[in-house]
Amino acid sequence: METYGLFVFPSQDYYSKDLQKSEDLQTNACITLARPLPTFIKEALKCVHDDVVSRYYGCGLVIPECLETCWILDLGSGSGRDCYMLSKLVGEKGHVTGIDMTDAQVEVAKKHIDYHMKKFGYQVPNVDFIHGYMEKLGDAGLKDESYDIVISNCVINLSPDKRTVLQEAYRVLKAGGEMYFSDVYASCDLPEDIRKHRVLWGECLGGALWWKDLYRIAEEVGFCPPRLVTASRITINNKELESVVGDCQFVSATFRLFKVPKKGPAERYQVIYNGGITGHEKELEFDANFTFKEGEVVEVDAETAAILRSSRFAEEFLIRLAAGRAPGGCCPAKVKVSDKLGSCYT
């Protein structure tokens, strides 16, 4: 087992030795999908080598929208499944980097680079894989403000230092960049017996963050408040593990964090989606609060307007002040994250 500081990574051996394929998982925590795959994602997935797909242990869909020419970093890239899908979606002018702490997984990913580049018709590889730690991206040679998007798929829970993971993601993101990630969250601050359980840790439950702590840490690091995309309850179909977990509940949730200036006055804005994003031409499900339909006027708060204006979505929207609205005026009610996640825990 490898160490990070004084912490021993039990998941290192678990993912390289205990798990050889997805069927070896003992809970459904790492294979829970929040919603059906869009057609264009299914087509990209069909292009990924079977050996890569069979070693996939993610807990959600981590393919954001508006990807053409983007530079993307995948934290805990494993066998490279998401990286190869993204490699196709960003196009030859984009780039995808995967970083993982497990040598065996990195080697699986690397050996299939030529296969995928030929499959996609790329003259020069637009994907690379690095052995390293998501808490130490600088040691892996990743520079400040070098990526448009950082993704991760059910791996931040495996880190003993989640604040540093978010700090490093924030550092390598360009201004206007986004961290888009799925992970497992707990209904409470987990007790030590759950945190130290080898199987629960390896299967993404033992290291689950209390969702309220995610909001606190993200804002302290500098991100705008987390925006919930999807959430679904995790069931543990293993009596022995259920007895250890007790009353603690878990959800698989996808969040998006943006590195944009903090919102200013509480003004209201109108935004109109122009329908130009591949795979989302008619409708863009941005998060649990906002779905934008092509050509439709939607009133949003200042924070949402700032995100759309300052990020890669800027050219996809017409944004203007809402006519006749005074600061603090009425705006469609937002879905409370506590309500959305709470419904998953019950």
Side-chain angles (χ1 to χ4, degrees):
M1 290 186 289
E2 256 182 86
T3 61
Y4 169 72
L6 298 176
F7 184 87
V8 179
F9 278 106
S11 52
Q12 175 91 6
D13 284 345
Y14 194 74
Y15 281 98
S16 61
K17 298 177 181 178
D18 293 39
L19 297 183
Q20 297 300 316
K21 55 188 181 300
S22 301
E23 288 77 8
D24 293 332
L25 292 163
Q26 296 187 45
T27 76
N28 72 343
C30 294
I31 53 174
T32 302
L33 280 177
R35 59 186 177 186
L37 295 175
T39 301
F40 78 108
I41 299 296
K42 290 181 180 179
E43 293 302 316
L45 180 57
K46 288 179 182 178
C47 297
V48 181
H49 195 284
D50 288 344
D51 187 33
V52 172
V53 174
S54 70
R55 295 169 185 265
Y56 161 72
Y57 311 124
C59 68
L61 177 65
V62 287
I63 308 296
E65 318 85 3
C66 200
L67 298 176
E68 288 86 350
T69 74
C70 284
W71 279 60
I72 301 177
L73 172 64
D74 184 2
L75 304 178
S77 52
S79 63
R81 194 208 76 157
D82 290 351
C83 286
Y84 285 123
M85 282 198 296
L86 290 164
S87 169
K88 178 173 175 58
L89 297 174
V90 301
E92 200 163 8
K93 294 182 179 180
H95 190 87
V96 182
T97 297
I99 184 167
D100 200 274
M101 69 176 183
T102 308
D103 278 317
Q105 289 283 70
V106 172
E107 289 307 310
V108 170
K110 282 183 174 180
K111 76 178 184 179
H112 296 297
I113 291 178
D114 288 344
Y115 169 88
H116 291 95
M117 296 306 101
K118 291 178 181 177
K119 189 83 171 177
F120 302 155
Y122 296 167
Q123 298 300 312
V124 178
N126 74 339
V127 63
D128 65 311
F129 297 96
I130 303 170
H131 176 258
Y133 296 93
M134 54 189 167
E135 302 89 349
K136 297 183 176 182
L137 300 180
D139 290 355
L142 304 185
K143 299 179 180 179
D144 294 359
E145 300 188 350
S146 51
Y147 290 93
D148 300 292
I149 305 169
V150 173
I151 69 165
S152 77
N153 196 340
C154 206
V155 296
I156 294 178
N157 65 85
L158 299 174
S159 172
D161 190 353
K162 296 170 177 60
R163 178 186 297 275
T164 297
V165 174
L166 293 188
Q167 285 176 333
E168 281 291 89
Y170 188 88
R171 179 183 65 81
V172 302
L173 279 171
K174 300 175 184 177
E178 177 186 11
M179 185 174 184
Y180 187 96
F181 62 110
S182 290
D183 220 305
V184 175
Y185 297 92
S187 60
C188 60
D189 192 9
L190 296 177
E192 284 298 304
D193 62 328
I194 294 179
R195 293 192 178 280
K196 291 182 178 179
H197 194 284
R198 181 174 181 272
V199 175
L200 288 175
W201 185 279
E203 303 228 356
C204 304
L205 300 182
L209 192 66
W210 185 22
W211 68 268
K212 289 185 178 181
D213 283 340
L214 169 67
Y215 276 70
R216 175 179 55 81
I217 294 171
E219 293 196 61
E220 289 173 357
V221 165
F223 285 110
C224 285
R227 306 178 77 90
L228 177 66
V229 181
T230 59
S232 58
R233 185 178 179 181
I234 291 171
T235 57
I236 305 172
N237 302 315
N238 181 305
K239 295 297 182 182
E240 181 181 348
L241 296 180
E242 282 181 345
S243 67
V244 177
V245 168
D247 293 333
C248 295
Q249 301 292 320
F250 300 89
V251 298
S252 171
T254 300
F255 283 94
R256 52 197 332 162
L257 308 178
F258 285 92
K259 183 179 180 178
V260 303
K262 298 296 183 180
K263 62 182 180 181
E267 296 174 314
R268 303 302 176 186
Y269 291 81
Q270 291 180 339
V271 301
I272 303 174
Y273 174 47
N274 67 24
I277 299 176
T278 302
H280 305 273
E281 290 83 359
K282 297 298 181 182
E283 183 176 278
L284 173 63
E285 295 183 38
F286 193 71
D287 58 22
N289 285 298
F290 292 107
T291 294
F292 302 107
K293 295 182 179 180
E294 181 188 14
E296 183 177 278
V297 177
V298 178
E299 189 169 316
V300 301
D301 55 278
E303 180 181 280
T304 301
I307 287 171
L308 295 176
R309 182 187 295 116
S310 303
S311 67
R312 67 187 186 281
F313 294 98
E315 295 183 2
E316 309 300 335
F317 287 86
L318 171 65
I319 303 172
R320 65 194 182 201
L321 274 171
R325 290 290 190 189
C330 181
C331 191
K334 286 188 174 183
V335 175
K336 290 184 178 180
V337 174
S338 57
D339 293 342
K340 180 70 173 177
L341 291 180
S343 66
C344 293
Y345 290 126
T346 57

